[in-house]
Amino acid sequence: MSIEKVAIIGLGLLGGSIGLAVKARAPGITTSGFDADPAVRAKATERGLTDNVHESAADAVRDADLVILCVPVGAMREAAAEIADVLPPRAIVSDVGSSKQSVAEDLAAALPGAIVIPAHPVAGTEQSGPEAGFATLFVNRWCILTPPAGADEAAVETLAEFWRKLGARIEIMDPQHHDLVLAVTSHIPHLIAYTIVGTASDLEEVTQGEVIKYSAGGFRDFTRIAASDPTMWRDVFLHNKVAVLEMLGRFTEDLTALQRAIRSGDGDTLHELFSRTRAIRRGIIQEGQDDPSPDFGRGH
Ligand SMILES: NC(=O)c1ccc[n+]([C@@H]2O[C@H](COP(=O)([O-])OP(=O)(O)OC[C@H]3O[C@@H](n4cnc5c(N)ncnc54)[C@H](O)[C@@H]3O)[C@@H](O)[C@H]2O)c1
Ligand SMILES: O=C(O)C(=O)C[C@]1(C(=O)O)C=C[C@@H](O)C=C1
């Protein structure tokens, strides 16, 4: 199976980055795009995010070998339903959603009989919209494929090869496991950032403008994450509810243990944890998994 035409539905950060990455790294593949928002379609045309930007999802997916849904996870079902009647029978349908169980269920329900291979490129920034995309977003990043049991192996390999062309590394995972892992590595960190920035802002009366004044330190890193798209993240928490609540329970227990250590003056417990976490950060940097694009969306 080879991919000659990719249809991208949703032309924000992820959809736009896929379009630009195909142009830069797989120029033999044609791209077509659609976004529900006319202003996004206009900007996508201006930036040339895909070769063609269509006025309907149905027009965009015509003759496509691969369709990638790049919409918020809460909009996946509706976006899939819009292409159900016109989807070429041999086309692979995939997505980039940050949670996988609910998306797999929604796509299977909306597209009975279609070849559906959900995926999640673990790459992004706090930016969103058609101006945010860039061609190197996926370089050296993991793309996790979560094929359903009994999925066509050739289709899985075709999708994996597509993502490798864009620079990604491939992992295959069960959707339930994906959602648990990402709950702790991505979803809860975002929830913590939203919380700490929200709490500091609620305390503004006490801190009298100091939230902004002293935000050059660690707090500033939290504000970057807390600037992430509200619609996208609302949908992630509503659609990965079980895993997030389970991991949040575990996190709360660990936080309580730290609270106890501080209260009782147990410096060893604090020091041991902080040493372990420092080693993890250094390991990530050594593996070369840090910022793919230091001048974009990071480090400000
Ligand atoms: N932002 C990240 O860091 C990141 C990383 C990996 C995966 N993801 C996932 O990628 C997906 C897209 O996120 P993004 O950051 O590109 O968001 P974005 O807001 O930049 O883009 C989403 C686009 O989808 C469009 N859209 C919404 N409903 C639609 C519909 N029914 N049909 C057509 N278009 C529709 C919106 O108009 C918008 O332009 C989400 O599922 C998100 O969970 C995001
Ligand atoms: O770097 C960031 O700003 C991100 O939030 C990217 C990030 C992440 O948590 O790692 C966010 C959501 C995704 O589904 C994948 C990647």
Side-chain angles (χ1 to χ4, degrees), residues 239-296:
H239 287 78
N240 196 21
K241 185 171 164 178
V242 174
V244 166
L245 291 179
E246 187 176 333
M247 289 300 167
L248 204 51
R250 174 64 197 263
F251 173 78
T252 311
E253 281 176 26
D254 290 348
L255 194 62
T256 304
L258 283 187
Q259 210 174 354
R260 199 179 311 120
I262 293 168
R263 186 177 299 116
S264 64
D266 177 2
D268 289 350
T269 293
L270 300 176
H271 196 271
E272 190 273 325
L273 173 69
F274 301 162
S275 304
R276 211 152 39 90
T277 55
R278 171 181 256 193
I280 289 167
R281 167 71 185 178
R282 289 180 175 168
I284 291 171
I285 303 244
Q286 251 167 20
E287 250 203 46
Q289 271 207 59
D290 207 30
D291 310 346
S293 169
D295 55 348
F296 191 96

Side-chain angles (χ1 to χ4, degrees), residues 13-14 96-99 120-127 137 141 178 182 185-187 189-190 224-225 228 232-233 236 291-292 297-298:
L13 170 67
L14 267 289
V96 294
S98 301
S99 66
H120 177 204
V122 188
T125 74
E126 75 282 15
Q127 311 284 349
L137 178 62
R141 292 300 173 124
H178 168 281
L182 271 291
T185 59
S186 175
H187 306 169
H190 278 77
R224 181 188 77 76
I225 298 176
S228 300
M232 168 190 158
W233 283 100
V236 168
D291 310 346
R298 291 153 196 276

Side-chain angles (χ1 to χ4, degrees), residues 8 12 43 47 54 68-69 75 88 97 100 103 122 143 152 164 191-192 214 216 223 247 264-265 270:
I8 302 169
K43 182 48 80 177
R47 284 198 72 201
H54 295 272
I68 309 183
L69 303 176
K100 294 273 57 89
V103 172
V122 188
C143 183
D152 179 346
R164 281 189 207 106
L191 198 68
I192 292 168
Y214 298 122
T223 64
M247 289 300 167
S264 64
L270 300 176

Side-chain angles (χ1 to χ4, degrees), residues 2-291:
S2 74
I3 305 281
E4 286 174 17
K5 178 177 168 184
V6 180
I8 302 169
I9 307 299
L11 294 170
L13 170 67
L14 267 289
S17 295
I18 293 173
L20 293 174
V22 169
K23 201 165 280 186
R25 303 175 67 98
I29 298 177
T30 305
T31 53
S32 61
F34 170 73
D35 196 287
D37 182 339
V40 174
R41 294 202 293 275
K43 182 48 80 177
T45 305
E46 188 189 312
R47 284 198 72 201
L49 298 181
T50 50
D51 297 331
N52 297 295
V53 176
H54 295 272
E55 291 297 303
S56 74
D59 283 342
V61 304
R62 206 152 279 139
D63 304 324
D65 309 297
L66 171 62
V67 178
I68 309 183
L69 303 176
C70 301
V71 303
V73 290
M76 290 288 177
R77 193 175 183 138
E78 184 195 325
E82 268 184 54
I83 58 169
D85 292 341
V86 290
L87 187 69
R90 298 294 310 148
I92 299 170
V93 179
S94 189
D95 75 299
V96 294
S98 301
S99 66
K100 294 273 57 89
Q101 253 190 300
S102 77
V103 172
E105 286 162 18
D106 285 350
L107 298 192
L111 301 167
I115 306 169
V116 176
I117 318 275
H120 177 204
V122 188
T125 74
E126 75 282 15
Q127 311 284 349
S128 59
E131 298 185 69
F134 57 104
T136 55
L137 178 62
F138 309 109
V139 175
N140 246 338
R141 292 300 173 124
W142 289 106
C143 183
I144 302 172
L145 310 189
T146 61
D152 179 346
E153 279 180 28
V156 176
E157 181 46 34
T158 300
L159 183 64
E161 194 46 35
F162 172 78
W163 278 105
R164 281 189 207 106
K165 282 193 179 129
L166 305 198
R169 299 190 273 176
I170 302 299
E171 190 72 70
I172 308 273
M173 235 182 240
D174 167 77
Q176 197 176 354
H177 185 65
H178 168 281
D179 285 359
L180 266 183
V181 172
L182 271 291
V184 77
T185 59
S186 175
H187 306 169
I188 288 174
H190 278 77
L191 198 68
I192 292 168
Y194 283 126
T195 311
I196 189 70
V197 176
T199 304
S201 152
D202 290 345
L203 290 172
E204 195 68 34
E205 233 173 68
V206 182
T207 57
Q208 292 173 352
E210 285 156 326
V211 169
I212 292 168
K213 189 169 164 192
Y214 298 122
S215 73
F219 185 73
R220 194 177 178 88
D221 292 349
F222 281 109
T223 64
R224 181 188 77 76
I225 298 176
S228 300
D229 190 70
T231 304
M232 168 190 158
W233 283 100
R234 176 203 62 197
D235 283 8
V236 168
F237 290 112
L238 296 181
H239 287 78
N240 196 21
K241 185 171 164 178
V242 174
V244 166
L245 291 179
E246 187 176 333
M247 289 300 167
L248 204 51
R250 174 64 197 263
F251 173 78
T252 311
E253 281 176 26
D254 290 348
L255 194 62
T256 304
L258 283 187
Q259 210 174 354
R260 199 179 311 120
I262 293 168
R263 186 177 299 116
S264 64
D266 177 2
D268 289 350
T269 293
L270 300 176
H271 196 271
E272 190 273 325
L273 173 69
F274 301 162
S275 304
R276 211 152 39 90
T277 55
R278 171 181 256 193
I280 289 167
R281 167 71 185 178
R282 289 180 175 168
I284 291 171
I285 303 244
Q286 251 167 20
E287 250 203 46
Q289 271 207 59
D290 207 30
D291 310 346

